Amino acid sequence: MWNKVKDYLKKYVSIRYGLAGALFLGVMVFSINYYKSDHLMLSLTAALKQAAYTFLFGGYVSALCERYTEKKKYILAVLLPSCIAIGATFLVHSLKGTPNPVLSTIPTMVFAPLGFYFIGFRKRKELQKEIT
């Protein structure tokens, strides 16, 4: 059973990008919320939600970006995961516990398109190396 789970994760979730995004956005969301509200526990709650969400969901949309890049749909590889990530981030932070859901979504609005462009670019270079 564990092998099936590992195969599923390899195919549909990018662990390395999920972890990197979780750390980066978790710290940013904590900083934004703590600066604006001065509530340590609420800010920590928002940061932990962001980190957990980014690891799982961000890893999934990163893998989605890679799959669209493999199909040579480069614009879709950036736009679709970005829209999904921004919308889902706002939804998660609109739920109870985040002092400033709009402000907590801003880092995703800024960094998701840049991040997915980077992921697509790296995947494209990786695929070109395999061809040569």
Side-chain angles (χ1 to χ4, degrees), residues 10-96:
K10 283 182 183 179
K11 185 174 182 179
Y12 294 107
V13 178
S14 174
I15 301 296
R16 79 177 150 176
Y17 292 128
L19 283 173
L23 180 64
F24 180 70
L25 288 174
V27 169
M28 291 206 54
V29 166
F30 175 81
S31 301
I32 287 169
N33 281 285
Y34 188 70
Y35 174 76
K36 283 296 199 179
S37 68
D38 206 28
H39 289 98
L40 178 64
M41 291 309 292
L42 290 176
S43 300
L44 188 57
T45 299
L48 290 174
K49 281 195 302 186
Q50 180 68 51
Y53 153 78
T54 301
F55 174 70
L56 294 171
F57 197 72
Y60 168 74
V61 291
S62 296
L64 181 67
C65 174
E66 289 180 325
R67 285 195 304 276
Y68 276 110
T69 300
E70 288 171 355
K71 295 177 183 178
K72 299 184 190 297
K73 297 182 178 181
Y74 304 119
I75 293 173
L76 200 55
V78 174
L79 290 179
L80 184 61
S82 295
C83 290
I84 292 170
I86 292 165
T89 300
F90 181 74
L91 177 67
V92 167
H93 285 292
S94 294
L95 302 174
K96 188 175 183 180

